[in-house]
Amino acid sequence: KLLVLGGYTGAASTDQVLLGAPGRLHAAGRLPVATHDAAAALLGGRVLLFGGGQSVSTDAVVRVDPATGHASSAGRLDEPLSDLGAVTIGGKAYLVGGYTGSAFASAILRYDGGRTTTVARLPAGTRYAGVAALGGSIVVAGGLTPAGATAAVYAVDPRTHAVRRTATLPVPEDHAGMAALGGALYLVGGREILKIVPGGGVSVAARLPVPLADPAVVAVGQRIVIVGGGTDAVYAFTPPR
């Protein structure tokens, strides 16, 4: 099943919670406050939605029951964050980059039930990056830095705090979503789906039917499922074996 939380409708943020199979999403609840540019992670049987905002960044954390779509407040971050990424590794949630409302964030934060701890820093503050977990590492692809969009792909080891550049995109990318499947990463944005194998290069895996920006991207079974991104469509891509 998919759980789709908030987003931007083209006119305003929404508080809608959608739940269901990719082809049969239905309204299941509402967030406490409408938001977009937030990031979610599955932790302890619940989904936590971090940050986001409407006209300004927020420090809100929202807990959502993935079985029912019921949402409730779950505390606050140490500072506002929007345009960030989130992953779960080893039972911990990690927040990646984002925007504080006044500065681009470079920190990789571990979230521990109401507190955040910095475990690493990216070379530059980064918003709107593709973020996913693969093999115990946090992978950060592209994104918007103070110097502009970047083509860099970094792997972050949350245990050793090491940050390594592992690949380079064909062109700088931002406002893309990313998910891991079958030992590879799939970055979705613009008109392409890029396959990234850390240490093994980057290739075009597929062409999208329409340009997408800020889509939600997740692995479901053996497919990459893509929600929104400037459209009301839900797309699925099955990588060839």
Side-chain angles (χ1 to χ4, degrees):
K1 290 185 177 181
L2 294 181
L3 187 65
V4 183
L5 307 174
Y8 189 68
T9 65
S13 298
T14 177
D15 63 359
Q16 187 167 243
V17 174
L18 303 178
L19 177 65
R24 296 188 299 276
L25 290 171
H26 64 273
R30 296 200 175 276
L31 300 172
V33 177
T35 191
H36 70 281
D37 285 336
L42 179 63
L43 191 66
R46 293 291 185 269
V47 173
L48 294 180
L49 184 69
F50 299 99
Q54 298 188 65
S55 58
V56 296
S57 301
T58 179
D59 60 1
V61 181
V62 175
R63 181 186 297 109
V64 185
D65 185 335
T68 65
H70 177 264
S72 59
S73 177
R76 299 283 176 183
L77 297 172
D78 296 328
E79 65 180 347
L81 276 178
S82 60
D83 316 335
L84 70 160
V87 299
T88 303
I89 298 176
K92 299 289 185 181
Y94 294 88
L95 312 184
V96 180
Y99 184 63
T100 67
S102 60
F104 288 53
S106 63
I108 310 292
L109 303 173
R110 183 177 63 239
Y111 178 81
D112 293 307
R115 297 184 306 128
T116 56
T117 303
T118 300
V119 298
R121 285 196 179 274
L122 298 169
T126 304
R127 307 164 62 182
Y128 303 116
V131 178
L134 182 66
S137 292
I138 303 164
V139 182
V140 185
L144 183 66
T145 74
T150 179
V153 180
Y154 295 101
V156 182
D157 187 329
R159 298 161 299 178
T160 65
H161 318 298
V163 179
R164 298 182 300 112
R165 184 163 180 168
T166 60
T168 301
L169 304 175
V171 297
E173 296 270 3
D174 57 16
H175 293 275
M178 188 165 70
L181 180 64
L185 296 146
Y186 294 89
L187 184 70
V188 181
R191 292 301 299 259
E192 296 177 335
I193 299 176
L194 297 179
K195 180 180 181 180
I196 304 170
V197 179
V202 181
S203 59
V204 176
R207 305 282 181 180
L208 294 165
V210 296
L212 298 179
D214 296 317
V217 181
V218 66
V220 179
Q222 297 303 308
R223 301 186 299 172
I224 297 293
V225 176
I226 306 155
V227 181
T231 173
D232 60 0
V234 179
Y235 296 102
F237 167 66
T238 303
R241 295 185 177 181

